[in-house]
Every structure is written in C-alpha cells, then in structure tokens.
Amino acid sequence: MDEIFKQQVYEVARLIPKGRVSTYGAIAKAVGYPNHSRHVGKAMGGCPKNVPAHRVISSSGVLSVPEFQSKLEKEGIVVENLRIKNFKKLFWDPLAEL
C-alpha cells in the first residue's frame, strides 16, 4: 500500500473530534479515492497509536473492531450490539466539516 495514501488517511482520522465517528468510505473520499474504503480499513489496521482508529467505523454504523467499544464509550458514545446509537447525529464528514 502506498505510504502517502496511508499518511493522508491518518491525517484525516486524527481530525475526527472526540465523541464523533467517521467511516472508512468518508475518509477514502476525503483523500481522493472514493472507492477505496477497504484500503482505508487496511491502513487503519496498522496505524500509529496517535491515530484514533476507534473513531473510524463502517458506513452502517457498526464497529468493525469490537475492542473499540470501550474507547468510544469513554468518549460518551453509546454502543448497542456493536452499533453506534445516533450514528447519523454523531457522523463526522471530513468533506463537509473541513
């Protein structure tokens, strides 16, 4: 995977505010690769510790990594059955908010 792509993904993910979530697809669009959400997921799998990977979820509002539930709950996000409650309200769209 291209290192520049990964760094762009990490930069966008670092901008997600606490208490909000974004999606693999939204980040892919923000870095100019709208059909590469799986690549974003792969990049997030090996991201540095200073990247809040727990704030990046699937477009359906479901956690891809169940272990991230506790981190999200510490930020005030309610998770039920691995699904973000009020997902549309908490969704952070980098293209709209940057």
Side-chain angles (χ1 to χ4, degrees):
M1 182 177 299
D2 182 59
E3 192 61 33
I4 293 172
F5 175 81
K6 288 199 301 193
Q7 292 306 317
Q8 290 173 329
V9 166
Y10 300 156
E11 286 301 314
V12 173
R14 283 185 188 105
L15 298 173
I16 304 169
K18 283 185 179 179
R20 303 281 302 277
V21 293
S22 194
T23 64
Y24 300 107
I27 292 174
K29 285 179 190 172
V31 299
Y33 294 91
N35 298 316
H36 288 74
S37 56
R38 287 181 189 257
H39 289 86
V40 171
K42 194 170 187 177
M44 295 305 288
C47 70
K49 290 193 183 278
N50 67 345
V51 176
H54 62 284
R55 295 183 193 145
V56 184
I57 62 172
S58 73
S59 61
S60 62
V62 174
L63 299 184
S64 301
V65 182
E67 293 78 19
F68 288 164
Q69 181 170 342
S70 63
K71 287 184 177 185
L72 290 168
E73 289 173 338
K74 285 178 185 170
E75 294 184 8
I77 295 174
V78 178
V79 181
E80 293 178 352
N81 296 323
L82 298 180
R83 183 176 299 277
I84 302 292
K85 192 165 182 152
N86 297 320
F87 170 61
K88 290 185 180 187
K89 182 181 173 191
L90 298 174
F91 174 65
W92 183 80
D93 184 354
L95 290 178
E97 303 201 40
L98 289 180

